[in-house]
Every structure is written in C-alpha cells, then in structure tokens.
Amino acid sequence: MTTSSVALPRPTHRGSGAVTGLAIAVASALAFSSSGPFVKPLLDGGWSLGAVLVVRMGLASLLLSPALVRAIRRQPGFLRRHGLLIVAFGLTAVAGCQVFYFAAMQRMPVAVALLIQYIAPVLLVVAVWARTRRAPSKLVMVGSIVAMAGLVLVVDISGARFDLLGTLFALCAAVCAAAYFVIAGRAGDDLPPLALAAGGLVTGTLVMGVLIVSGVLPFAAPAITVSMLGVEVAGILPLLWVGGVATTLGYALGVIAVPLIGSRVASFVGLSEVLFALGFAWLLLGETPAPVQFVGGALVLAGVVLVRLDADDPVEQSTETASVPVVPAP
C-alpha cells in the first residue's frame, strides 16, 4: 500500500458558478438564522439546551443520512478515506460551534459571545496570511475591517462586560466556525457535500448524546406551548422547524456553497446570518432593531462586497488547491 499526494482542482470562483454559490450561501445563512428566534421560547419555557441540541441535530442527521448511505454504497472504502474529516467536521462545525457558543453565552452577554464567534472570517484571513506569508490585499483588509465594524453595531455590545473563561469559550466557537468553512471547502466529487454534512450531524448528535448521558449537559423537555406570531402552538412545532428546516437546509446548502465560492468569501457571506436573525426576531418575537443596527447591517454587506471583489486573489486561490493524501485501495 502506497500513499501519494495529488492536487485537487478547485473552482476559480468566477462566472455563473460563483453567482450560484453566493445565492446558495445566502440561503444557508437565512436558514441558520431562524434557529435562534424559534429556540428562544423553548429555552424560556423550560427546555434544556442539551434537549434542544440533540433533537435539532438528530432530526437533521436523519433527514440527510440517505446522502451518507448512498456515498458509502457507491464508493468502496469511503469511510476509510474520509472518516477522519467527517468526524472532525462533526466535532467542530456541528457540536463544537454550538457547545462552545452556548457555554460562552452562559458567562457573558449574548451579543458579546456572538461577536467573538463571528470573527471566524478574520481568523481565516489571518490563517491564509500565516500559511502563505503573503499579506491579504487592501480590498480584503478594508472589507474585513468594515464588516467587523458593522457586526459590532449590529450586535450592540454597549455596556457589555467581559468574562475571561467566557471569552475563551467564544474564541473556541470562532475556531470551530472557521473549521466549518475550511473542511466544507474540501467537499467535491470524491466527498459529496451532503454526505459530509450528514456524517458531521451524525457525529454531532452522538457527541450530544454522550454529554447528556454523562450529565455534562442536562436534559429537560417539558410539554409546553409557546407564542409564535401571536399564536399559541405546541413547543415541539418550532423545534421541528429548527431541526427539519433551519439546521438541515443550513448545513446542506452551506457545504454545497463553500466549494463554489471559496472558504474566505463564504465565511464573510455567513455574516449575513446575524442580519437575517435580527429580521426573524423582529417578525416572530417583536424585537425591533435599533437604527444603529441597520447601519451596521449596511456595513457588513459593504464588507462582504469588498471581499468578494477580491475573490480571485492568487493568495485565496492557492488555498483552494489542497494537497490531499490519497491512499489507494489494497
């Protein structure tokens, strides 16, 4: 058995494929953004975080699992070649993001935890800089600063307090979010995006189950009713939306979009999730955004546009051609 290294060709992020990828990435952010407003009434009504997460991930993994089964059947040795990457995706992009974020949220204001988690795009820019030893272009630098400034205005951290451990948890969530875009960028013909998403969600569900059974995360799922759009509904209904629609479509569309537009651009487009979440909170929970948050939203979009304008930068493209070990079947 020999091991060789081959360069996997990546998209050049141009033309109709890039436009399609951007549209899919925005749709992914829109799907993800509805989770918070739908979950918040459940947590307020007595559901534990562990219960919400295990049901959310479990339902999404169930709906996407046929893609994983199909990939295993079609490709002999699929799990041997891609198993570690799939598990890494589940531990970071699925379980890690949520566990670390909510752990941070319990020690510091939600806005601060959210802001720290969403520095993931900047982490990717810095990582590329360190790896290639080539500074990002001015467009990328300016776009990053503008987007982060807009994010500060959107999440409104005025008067917030910082907590050291909470900050570390939030930073871990940011690293996990960055890993989501990096690993999703490895998807392609050999590793179908939906199979990656399904395997990651199965891994995340198993991790949640272990944390619940071991007592690290409490499990409580009382039968409650919640108010949505002024109507009282059974608490399980918004959770079915979160697992069956928001999470399933969020991960499925996200892993499809990243290989089309590149990890860096996809991570900045992902910031639109915060803007969509404001809209859902306004619509479903009556939480009206402040004028400064609209200004912040405009800045975030401007930053995304600036980064997208430089999507064909050679430094970015060099990271999209990865040297991946290939182990032939014996």
Side-chain angles (χ1 to χ4, degrees):
M1 181 183 298
T2 60
T3 301
S4 60
S5 180
V6 298
L8 298 181
R10 294 293 181 184
T12 58
H13 315 144
R14 296 178 181 176
S16 60
V19 174
T20 301
L22 286 171
I24 295 174
V26 171
S28 171
L30 178 61
F32 274 132
S33 67
S34 66
S35 297
F38 275 94
V39 165
K40 183 177 179 181
L42 287 173
L43 297 177
D44 292 342
W47 274 64
S48 68
L49 177 60
V52 169
L53 292 182
V54 75
V55 174
R56 172 188 182 181
M57 294 179 191
L59 180 55
S61 65
L62 182 64
L63 292 175
L64 290 177
S65 59
L68 178 61
V69 173
R70 185 163 53 249
I72 293 174
R73 286 181 174 178
R74 290 181 176 178
Q75 299 183 35
F78 176 83
L79 290 179
R80 175 171 54 81
R81 292 195 306 273
H82 304 296
L84 289 179
L85 195 62
I86 289 174
V87 170
F89 187 78
L91 292 177
T92 56
V94 179
C97 275
Q98 298 182 61
V99 171
F100 284 125
Y101 168 70
F102 284 108
M105 191 180 69
Q106 292 175 346
R107 303 187 63 90
M108 63 200 319
V110 174
V112 179
L114 190 66
L115 176 63
I116 297 174
Q117 178 178 349
Y118 275 93
I119 67 171
V122 176
L123 293 181
L124 288 178
V125 171
V126 173
V128 172
W129 189 350
R131 178 182 175 183
T132 63
R133 301 185 183 277
R134 291 181 59 183
S137 70
K138 291 182 179 179
L139 275 177
V140 172
M141 295 289 283
V142 173
S144 300
I145 294 172
V146 170
M148 290 300 106
L151 190 60
V152 170
L153 296 180
V154 169
V155 301
D156 186 17
I157 61 171
S158 56
R161 70 184 188 279
F162 279 87
D163 176 271
L164 178 59
L165 186 56
T167 300
L168 292 176
F169 284 146
L171 286 173
C172 288
V175 172
C176 289
Y180 164 82
F181 294 104
V182 172
I183 297 175
R186 295 293 189 92
D189 293 336
D190 192 45
L191 175 57
L194 293 183
L196 172 63
L201 284 163
V202 169
T203 301
T205 302
L206 293 175
V207 170
M208 288 298 108
V210 171
L211 293 177
I212 290 172
V213 171
S214 63
V216 175
L217 288 178
F219 183 90
I224 61 173
T225 59
V226 297
S227 178
M228 305 296 297
L229 295 174
V231 178
E232 293 293 321
V233 299
I236 192 64
L237 293 181
L239 188 54
L240 290 176
W241 169 275
V242 171
V245 178
T247 306
T248 302
L249 287 181
Y251 278 105
L253 296 176
V255 295
I256 291 173
V258 175
L260 293 175
I261 60 178
S263 300
R264 186 178 68 192
V265 174
S267 67
F268 278 92
V269 174
L271 294 178
S272 61
E273 180 183 339
V274 183
L275 311 184
F276 289 132
L278 286 177
F280 277 114
W282 188 2
L283 176 66
L284 299 175
L285 305 177
E287 299 178 358
T288 305
V292 69
Q293 291 177 300
F294 288 105
V295 175
L299 290 176
V300 169
L301 294 177
V304 172
V305 170
L306 289 172
V307 172
R308 175 66 190 98
L309 289 174
D310 198 58
D312 296 323
D313 173 50
V315 175
E316 166 74 358
Q317 290 190 22
S318 69
T319 65
E320 297 298 324
T321 302
S323 181
V324 184
V326 177
V327 182

